[in-house]
Amino acid sequence: GMEKGKRGRKMADKTAGAGKRMITAVLAVILAIYTCMALGGCRKTEEVPETSQEGTGDRLQIGLSFESYVIERWIRERDVFVSAAKELGADVNVQNANGDVQEQIAQIEYFIRKQMDVIAVVAGDCDALSDVMKKAKDAGIKTVSYDRLINNSDCDLYISFNNELVGRLMAECFLEYAPDGGDIFMIQGPQTDGNVHQIRKGFDDVIRGSRLNVVYEANCEGWLAEHAFTYVKEGLSRHKDIVGVMCGNDDLATQAFRALSEERLAGKVILTGQDGDLMACQRIVEGTQNMTAFKSVEEEARLAAEYAVMLGRGEELTGITKTIHDGTYDVPYRELLPVAVTKENMDDVIIKGGFHAEEDVYLNVKK
C-alpha cells in the first residue's frame, strides 16, 4: 500500500499540470496510510499480543502496556495481572515497548483503535504519554496509571507504592549506619520516571539537617544497570572516602556493588536499593547491602487487575481514600506501602511471604 502511494506521489509531482491525477494520487496515499493504521500495520512491534482473544463477545478487554522488562519485577507483575484479570472474566492484551517511548505511544494508540474497555500503563516517560492517554479517555476508555503517575492525563486511577516513603526508608538506613555523617553517592533511576523524583524528595527530607553530604549523583537512563557501575567508578575517582551509596533500585545496587568490590569497599560502606531482587536479598544476608525497600508487587498487580475490571464494568472503586495531583487533575490514588527489608526481617517478609525461597536467599551463607 505505502509503496504504491509513494510511486503515485512521484508521478503526480512530474505531471503537476494534471491536477486530477494529483488529487487521485494524494487520495491513494491517504487511503494507504489510513488502511495501514486501521490494520495496525504501522506499529513497529512484531510482538503477538500474549493473551488476546478475538471475538470473545462480552468479555472485558484490557490493554496492558509495559515500558520494558528491564526491571525484574515487571515479568512477575505481568503474569499476576493477566491471571487475576482472567479469573475475573477479562482478557488482557499485553504489549512491551522495549524502552522506546514512541513505540509505547503507538501501542496505546493501537489499544484505542481496538476499542479496549480499559488501558493500564507502566509509563516509560511520565510526560510523553499525556496526550495519548487523554485521547484514550476521550474515546471513552478507562485509564490506569500503573505504578508511575502519567502527568496531566486525568487517569481514572493511579495505583502505586508511596515512593516518598521508599526514599525515607533508605535515608533512615543511612542515618542509622552513619550517625556521624559523611559523603554519599546517589545513583538514581531516570528523570523520566516520576517515582524517581518522589524517592529523591523523601530521601532529602530525612537527611536534611544531618551531617550526610551528597557529593556525587547520577541518573541511569532507561534504568540500565550498567550505567550504575560506570557512575560509581567515576564518583570514586573523585571522592575516595565515602560512607555509602544510595541506589534507585536493586539492579543498580548490583552494579554499584561490583564497582565497590573492585575498590575493596563492598561491605564497608552502606548500600541501599529497592524491589527485593534475589541478588539484593543475598547481599543483605551476606552483609554487603544494608536494606532494600520491598514492595509487594504481586499485591499491586492483583489490585491493579481488580480495579481495571471494576473500571471496565463501571463499578465504584473501593478502598480508595486519597487523590494525587498529576499537574492538572486530582487522580484517585490507591496507595500501597513499602517495607524496609534488612537482615533482621528477611525471613518474615521475604521468605515467609513467599517472594523468594530460603535456600536461594541463603545460597552463599551458613544460616
Side-chain angles (χ1 to χ4, degrees), residues 68-295:
S68 80
Y69 297 141
V70 164
I71 298 175
E72 186 182 297
R73 55 179 277 215
W74 293 127
I75 300 278
R76 201 186 269 252
E77 291 196 54
R78 175 197 66 196
D79 296 345
V80 172
F81 186 105
V82 169
S83 65
K86 267 213 160 108
E87 276 172 32
L88 294 166
D91 294 326
V92 186
N93 180 325
V94 183
Q95 298 286 337
N96 166 24
N98 290 311
D100 180 336
V101 179
Q102 291 310 314
E103 178 62 6
Q104 187 161 40
I105 291 169
Q107 289 174 350
I108 295 166
E109 285 181 333
Y110 165 71
F111 284 154
I112 296 170
R113 286 199 301 278
K114 297 273 283 188
Q115 298 179 321
M116 291 286 158
D117 297 298
V118 186
I119 297 175
V121 178
V122 177
D125 186 321
C126 294
D127 287 313
L129 301 184
S130 308
D131 290 349
V132 74
M133 291 301 272
K134 287 289 293 281
K135 189 174 160 185
K137 214 169 160 162
D138 293 343
I141 298 169
K142 300 290 187 189
T143 57
V144 178
S145 278
Y146 184 162
D147 199 74
R148 299 169 185 164
L149 182 64
I150 299 166
N151 297 326
N152 310 306
S153 62
D154 197 17
C155 284
D156 294 291
L157 174 71
Y158 168 57
I159 179 166
S160 187
F161 289 83
N162 180 325
N163 291 292
E164 268 186 43
L165 184 54
V166 169
R168 296 183 75 87
L169 294 174
M170 287 189 191
E172 280 159 11
C173 177
F174 275 83
L175 291 180
E176 183 187 339
Y177 286 97
D180 300 331
D183 291 348
I184 59 175
F185 295 172
M186 290 185 80
I187 309 295
Q188 304 159 95
Q191 297 273 9
T192 52
D193 182 340
N195 293 359
V196 171
H197 303 280
Q198 294 178 20
I199 291 166
R200 175 67 196 256
K201 183 183 183 304
F203 191 87
D204 286 348
D205 285 352
V206 170
I207 67 164
R208 194 171 291 116
S210 77
R211 294 166 67 188
L212 289 166
N213 191 17
V214 179
V215 292
Y216 179 88
E217 59 174 297
N219 291 84
C220 298
E221 207 176 314
W223 283 108
L224 292 170
E226 304 79 81
H227 295 319
F229 177 81
T230 312
Y231 289 139
V232 173
K233 292 291 265 195
E234 188 189 317
L236 288 169
S237 71
R238 297 187 215 169
H239 311 274
K240 277 275 173 275
D241 191 23
I242 61 166
V243 295
V245 181
M246 173 275 205
C247 291
N249 74 3
D250 290 333
D251 244 356
L252 305 186
T254 294
Q255 296 300 325
F257 165 76
R258 272 187 57 217
L260 291 169
S261 298
E262 287 188 8
E263 308 288 328
R264 306 233 184 314
L265 287 170
K268 294 180 185 159
V269 301
I270 303 158
L271 182 63
T272 65
Q274 76 162 324
D275 288 345
D277 283 2
L278 178 59
M279 287 173 82
C281 291
Q282 290 171 341
R283 283 192 298 272
I284 288 169
V285 300
E286 288 159 23
T288 53
Q289 182 167 327
N290 300 70
M291 64 81 76
T292 178
F294 174 68
K295 308 189 294 202

Side-chain angles (χ1 to χ4, degrees), residues 244-357:
V245 181
M246 173 275 205
C247 291
N249 74 3
D250 290 333
D251 244 356
L252 305 186
T254 294
Q255 296 300 325
F257 165 76
R258 272 187 57 217
L260 291 169
S261 298
E262 287 188 8
E263 308 288 328
R264 306 233 184 314
L265 287 170
K268 294 180 185 159
V269 301
I270 303 158
L271 182 63
T272 65
Q274 76 162 324
D275 288 345
D277 283 2
L278 178 59
M279 287 173 82
C281 291
Q282 290 171 341
R283 283 192 298 272
I284 288 169
V285 300
E286 288 159 23
T288 53
Q289 182 167 327
N290 300 70
M291 64 81 76
T292 178
F294 174 68
K295 308 189 294 202
S296 176
V297 294
E298 270 121 335
E299 182 192 11
E300 181 182 32
R302 189 178 45 74
L303 281 168
E306 286 173 9
Y307 282 121
V309 170
M310 283 182 213
L311 282 168
R313 293 197 176 131
E315 294 167 6
E316 190 138 332
L317 301 182
T318 52
I320 292 172
T321 55
K322 296 188 165 187
T323 60
I324 193 163
H325 195 64
D326 74 358
T328 310
Y329 308 91
D330 289 321
V331 177
Y333 172 26
R334 178 60 154 96
E335 179 190 55
L336 304 167
L337 297 179
V339 180
V341 170
T342 61
K343 230 181 232 181
E344 284 68 47
N345 63 354
M346 178 68 66
D347 291 13
D348 284 342
V349 178
I350 298 293
I351 290 157
K352 286 191 186 132
F355 196 71
H356 295 306

